[in-house]
PDB file of all heavy atoms in Angstrom:
ATOM      1  N   GLN A 228      10.085 -27.447   2.284  1.00  0.00           N
ATOM      2  CA  GLN A 228      11.116 -26.478   1.908  1.00  0.00           C
ATOM      3  C   GLN A 228      11.984 -27.013   0.779  1.00  0.00           C
ATOM      4  O   GLN A 228      12.310 -26.291  -0.170  1.00  0.00           O
ATOM      5  CB  GLN A 228      11.993 -26.153   3.122  1.00  0.00           C
ATOM      6  CG  GLN A 228      11.323 -25.301   4.173  1.00  0.00           C
ATOM      7  CD  GLN A 228      12.261 -24.941   5.303  1.00  0.00           C
ATOM      8  OE1 GLN A 228      13.432 -24.636   5.058  1.00  0.00           O
ATOM      9  NE2 GLN A 228      11.776 -24.966   6.525  1.00  0.00           N
ATOM     10  N   GLU A 229      12.347 -28.287   0.880  1.00  0.00           N
ATOM     11  CA  GLU A 229      13.184 -28.894  -0.153  1.00  0.00           C
ATOM     12  C   GLU A 229      12.447 -28.927  -1.485  1.00  0.00           C
ATOM     13  O   GLU A 229      13.032 -28.630  -2.532  1.00  0.00           O
ATOM     14  CB  GLU A 229      13.580 -30.313   0.267  1.00  0.00           C
ATOM     15  CG  GLU A 229      14.544 -30.992  -0.703  1.00  0.00           C
ATOM     16  CD  GLU A 229      14.983 -32.361  -0.232  1.00  0.00           C
ATOM     17  OE1 GLU A 229      14.703 -32.716   0.934  1.00  0.00           O
ATOM     18  OE2 GLU A 229      15.601 -33.077  -1.033  1.00  0.00           O
ATOM     19  N   GLU A 230      11.161 -29.273  -1.444  1.00  0.00           N
ATOM     20  CA  GLU A 230      10.376 -29.313  -2.681  1.00  0.00           C
ATOM     21  C   GLU A 230      10.231 -27.919  -3.275  1.00  0.00           C
ATOM     22  O   GLU A 230      10.339 -27.734  -4.491  1.00  0.00           O
ATOM     23  CB  GLU A 230       8.996 -29.906  -2.401  1.00  0.00           C
ATOM     24  CG  GLU A 230       8.109 -30.016  -3.632  1.00  0.00           C
ATOM     25  CD  GLU A 230       8.716 -30.897  -4.717  1.00  0.00           C
ATOM     26  OE1 GLU A 230       9.398 -31.899  -4.379  1.00  0.00           O
ATOM     27  OE2 GLU A 230       8.526 -30.570  -5.906  1.00  0.00           O
ATOM     28  N   PHE A 231      10.018 -26.917  -2.414  1.00  0.00           N
ATOM     29  CA  PHE A 231       9.905 -25.548  -2.919  1.00  0.00           C
ATOM     30  C   PHE A 231      11.241 -25.067  -3.482  1.00  0.00           C
ATOM     31  O   PHE A 231      11.284 -24.331  -4.467  1.00  0.00           O
ATOM     32  CB  PHE A 231       9.438 -24.601  -1.807  1.00  0.00           C
ATOM     33  CG  PHE A 231       9.155 -23.209  -2.301  1.00  0.00           C
ATOM     34  CD1 PHE A 231       7.991 -22.925  -2.989  1.00  0.00           C
ATOM     35  CD2 PHE A 231      10.068 -22.178  -2.105  1.00  0.00           C
ATOM     36  CE1 PHE A 231       7.736 -21.647  -3.478  1.00  0.00           C
ATOM     37  CE2 PHE A 231       9.823 -20.905  -2.576  1.00  0.00           C
ATOM     38  CZ  PHE A 231       8.649 -20.639  -3.268  1.00  0.00           C
ATOM     39  N   PHE A 232      12.327 -25.489  -2.854  1.00  0.00           N
ATOM     40  CA  PHE A 232      13.672 -25.157  -3.338  1.00  0.00           C
ATOM     41  C   PHE A 232      13.857 -25.649  -4.777  1.00  0.00           C
ATOM     42  O   PHE A 232      14.322 -24.909  -5.653  1.00  0.00           O
ATOM     43  CB  PHE A 232      14.716 -25.790  -2.419  1.00  0.00           C
ATOM     44  CG  PHE A 232      16.137 -25.651  -2.887  1.00  0.00           C
ATOM     45  CD1 PHE A 232      16.827 -24.465  -2.728  1.00  0.00           C
ATOM     46  CD2 PHE A 232      16.781 -26.713  -3.501  1.00  0.00           C
ATOM     47  CE1 PHE A 232      18.139 -24.332  -3.166  1.00  0.00           C
ATOM     48  CE2 PHE A 232      18.095 -26.598  -3.939  1.00  0.00           C
ATOM     49  CZ  PHE A 232      18.767 -25.404  -3.771  1.00  0.00           C
ATOM     50  N   HIS A 233      13.471 -26.898  -5.041  1.00  0.00           N
ATOM     51  CA  HIS A 233      13.613 -27.458  -6.391  1.00  0.00           C
ATOM     52  C   HIS A 233      12.620 -26.804  -7.365  1.00  0.00           C
ATOM     53  O   HIS A 233      12.969 -26.570  -8.533  1.00  0.00           O
ATOM     54  CB  HIS A 233      13.406 -28.970  -6.357  1.00  0.00           C
ATOM     55  CG  HIS A 233      14.479 -29.706  -5.601  1.00  0.00           C
ATOM     56  ND1 HIS A 233      15.819 -29.573  -5.901  1.00  0.00           N
ATOM     57  CD2 HIS A 233      14.394 -30.557  -4.538  1.00  0.00           C
ATOM     58  CE1 HIS A 233      16.533 -30.325  -5.062  1.00  0.00           C
ATOM     59  NE2 HIS A 233      15.691 -30.920  -4.221  1.00  0.00           N
ATOM     60  N   THR A 234      11.433 -26.509  -6.881  1.00  0.00           N
ATOM     61  CA  THR A 234      10.445 -25.806  -7.711  1.00  0.00           C
ATOM     62  C   THR A 234      10.977 -24.436  -8.106  1.00  0.00           C
ATOM     63  O   THR A 234      10.892 -24.017  -9.266  1.00  0.00           O
ATOM     64  CB  THR A 234       9.111 -25.651  -6.948  1.00  0.00           C
ATOM     65  OG1 THR A 234       8.582 -26.934  -6.644  1.00  0.00           O
ATOM     66  CG2 THR A 234       8.097 -24.870  -7.774  1.00  0.00           C
ATOM     67  N   PHE A 235      11.529 -23.735  -7.123  1.00  0.00           N
ATOM     68  CA  PHE A 235      12.132 -22.415  -7.364  1.00  0.00           C
ATOM     69  C   PHE A 235      13.207 -22.514  -8.441  1.00  0.00           C
ATOM     70  O   PHE A 235      13.227 -21.722  -9.394  1.00  0.00           O
ATOM     71  CB  PHE A 235      12.721 -21.875  -6.056  1.00  0.00           C
ATOM     72  CG  PHE A 235      13.327 -20.503  -6.174  1.00  0.00           C
ATOM     73  CD1 PHE A 235      12.647 -19.387  -5.718  1.00  0.00           C
ATOM     74  CD2 PHE A 235      14.584 -20.312  -6.749  1.00  0.00           C
ATOM     75  CE1 PHE A 235      13.198 -18.118  -5.825  1.00  0.00           C
ATOM     76  CE2 PHE A 235      15.145 -19.053  -6.864  1.00  0.00           C
ATOM     77  CZ  PHE A 235      14.440 -17.953  -6.397  1.00  0.00           C
ATOM     78  N   ASN A 236      14.118 -23.461  -8.290  1.00  0.00           N
ATOM     79  CA  ASN A 236      15.228 -23.602  -9.242  1.00  0.00           C
ATOM     80  C   ASN A 236      14.733 -23.852 -10.654  1.00  0.00           C
ATOM     81  O   ASN A 236      15.233 -23.258 -11.623  1.00  0.00           O
ATOM     82  CB  ASN A 236      16.157 -24.737  -8.806  1.00  0.00           C
ATOM     83  CG  ASN A 236      17.030 -24.340  -7.633  1.00  0.00           C
ATOM     84  OD1 ASN A 236      17.191 -23.152  -7.332  1.00  0.00           O
ATOM     85  ND2 ASN A 236      17.596 -25.322  -6.950  1.00  0.00           N
ATOM     86  N   ASP A 237      13.742 -24.745 -10.794  1.00  0.00           N
ATOM     87  CA  ASP A 237      13.215 -25.055 -12.125  1.00  0.00           C
ATOM     88  C   ASP A 237      12.601 -23.827 -12.782  1.00  0.00           C
ATOM     89  O   ASP A 237      12.833 -23.550 -13.966  1.00  0.00           O
ATOM     90  CB  ASP A 237      12.168 -26.167 -12.029  1.00  0.00           C
ATOM     91  CG  ASP A 237      12.796 -27.545 -11.955  1.00  0.00           C
ATOM     92  OD1 ASP A 237      14.042 -27.629 -11.887  1.00  0.00           O
ATOM     93  OD2 ASP A 237      12.051 -28.539 -11.959  1.00  0.00           O
ATOM     94  N   LEU A 238      11.810 -23.098 -12.009  1.00  0.00           N
ATOM     95  CA  LEU A 238      11.152 -21.900 -12.557  1.00  0.00           C
ATOM     96  C   LEU A 238      12.165 -20.805 -12.876  1.00  0.00           C
ATOM     97  O   LEU A 238      12.084 -20.148 -13.919  1.00  0.00           O
ATOM     98  CB  LEU A 238      10.112 -21.378 -11.560  1.00  0.00           C
ATOM     99  CG  LEU A 238       8.897 -22.284 -11.302  1.00  0.00           C
ATOM    100  CD1 LEU A 238       8.020 -21.692 -10.198  1.00  0.00           C
ATOM    101  CD2 LEU A 238       8.079 -22.461 -12.575  1.00  0.00           C
ATOM    102  N   TYR A 239      13.096 -20.610 -11.976  1.00  0.00           N
ATOM    103  CA  TYR A 239      14.086 -19.540 -12.151  1.00  0.00           C
ATOM    104  C   TYR A 239      14.948 -19.772 -13.389  1.00  0.00           C
ATOM    105  O   TYR A 239      15.241 -18.839 -14.138  1.00  0.00           O
ATOM    106  CB  TYR A 239      14.957 -19.440 -10.897  1.00  0.00           C
ATOM    107  CG  TYR A 239      15.869 -18.229 -10.887  1.00  0.00           C
ATOM    108  CD1 TYR A 239      15.370 -16.974 -10.532  1.00  0.00           C
ATOM    109  CD2 TYR A 239      17.206 -18.337 -11.233  1.00  0.00           C
ATOM    110  CE1 TYR A 239      16.196 -15.859 -10.518  1.00  0.00           C
ATOM    111  CE2 TYR A 239      18.043 -17.229 -11.227  1.00  0.00           C
ATOM    112  CZ  TYR A 239      17.527 -15.995 -10.870  1.00  0.00           C
ATOM    113  OH  TYR A 239      18.354 -14.893 -10.865  1.00  0.00           O
TER     114      TYR A 239
END
Side-chain angles (χ1 to χ4, degrees):
Q228 288 184 41
E229 184 177 350
E230 181 60 35
F231 186 77
F232 174 78
H233 294 305
T234 298
F235 182 102
N236 285 343
D237 279 5
L238 294 175
Y239 189 80

